[in-house]
Amino acid sequence: MSINIDKIANSIIYMIDKKVAHLNDKKLCVMLFLIDYNHLKNCDSKIFDEVYIKSKRNPQPKTIGGVFEAIANDEDLDENDERLYIIQEFLEYLDIEIFQKEKFTELKFIKMEEDFEESLFSKDELKTINKIITKHKNDTPRKIANTCFAIEEVRETKNNEIII
């Protein structure tokens, strides 16, 4: 199963339109997890078809996390690397700014000309996305990451293992 890049990119556009505070790669990864986790629990399917791995600090989307890591580390990707394809797809919707901090690199997202494409999502998917955005709109990346550890499946999963 491969991730749904169009839905992920459109969800980011939607978060930008809804003025989600502190929206960087860290917060986005947790938001994607919470959206997929909530949708899986309530509707028996994930929206983005992503796999989430437990890391020490928060659930990490396996594919998108690898893409963001490649961007942050300015990796020279081989033309056959799936991450290159995903980055190219993302750049059709969004620009990604890289900020070098003292101890880490932060990615921020800038909306291009594309508008949010509501037709990509079912009614239930939009309801789930809105629920998570409304609940965590103003949370810092650290606060939203801590929210994940209130979820029993996250707490019980060992580091570097699949949560969902």
Side-chain angles (χ1 to χ4, degrees):
M1 187 184 316
S2 65
I3 63 168
N4 192 318
I5 300 164
D6 293 329
K7 283 186 175 182
I8 292 172
N10 270 277
S11 293
I12 298 168
I13 290 169
Y14 191 64
M15 289 179 204
I16 292 168
D17 288 348
K18 292 293 182 183
K19 305 210 182 320
V20 170
H22 319 289
L23 187 60
N24 62 14
D25 55 313
K26 308 291 186 263
K27 182 171 180 175
L28 176 66
C29 286
V30 177
M31 293 283 281
L32 293 175
F33 167 76
L34 289 172
I35 290 168
D36 263 349
Y37 176 81
N38 193 284
H39 201 71
L40 183 62
K41 293 298 170 200
N42 294 308
C43 301
D44 296 323
S45 65
K46 293 190 257 183
I47 296 172
F48 309 116
D49 297 326
E50 177 65 279
V51 171
Y52 299 89
I53 309 291
K54 182 178 178 182
S55 73
K56 195 163 82 170
R57 296 176 193 249
N58 55 273
Q60 196 62 18
K62 184 177 180 181
T63 304
I64 291 299
V67 167
F68 292 160
E69 190 176 308
I71 293 169
N73 294 326
D74 196 24
E75 285 183 39
D76 189 19
L77 301 176
D78 182 77
E79 66 181 44
N80 296 325
D81 193 320
E82 179 189 31
R83 294 174 298 171
L84 183 59
Y85 166 75
I86 294 170
I87 291 167
Q88 290 168 338
E89 288 289 306
F90 256 90
L91 294 177
E92 289 183 23
Y93 295 95
L94 302 154
D95 196 8
I96 301 173
E97 273 192 298
I98 304 168
F99 294 93
Q100 284 300 132
K101 304 286 184 165
E102 189 175 320
K103 295 183 180 181
F104 63 95
T105 302
E106 179 179 73
L107 305 180
K108 295 237 179 180
F109 308 96
I110 300 162
K111 182 178 168 182
M112 304 295 274
E113 277 110 49
E114 295 289 328
D115 287 326
F116 174 67
E117 198 173 323
E118 189 174 327
S119 65
L120 287 174
F121 301 91
S122 72
K123 192 174 176 181
D124 284 338
E125 289 173 338
L126 287 169
K127 185 178 174 183
T128 301
I129 291 167
N130 274 311
K131 176 183 173 183
I132 298 302
I133 288 174
T134 301
K135 186 172 184 177
H136 299 288
K137 180 177 181 175
N138 295 312
D139 290 354
T140 64
R142 176 173 280 163
K143 182 176 180 183
I144 194 172
N146 288 340
T147 299
C148 294
F149 288 97
I151 299 170
E152 187 175 346
E153 288 93 331
V154 174
R155 284 194 317 272
E156 290 179 356
T157 302
K158 292 183 175 147
N159 281 346
N160 301 317
E161 290 190 2
I162 295 173
I163 304 166
I164 58 171

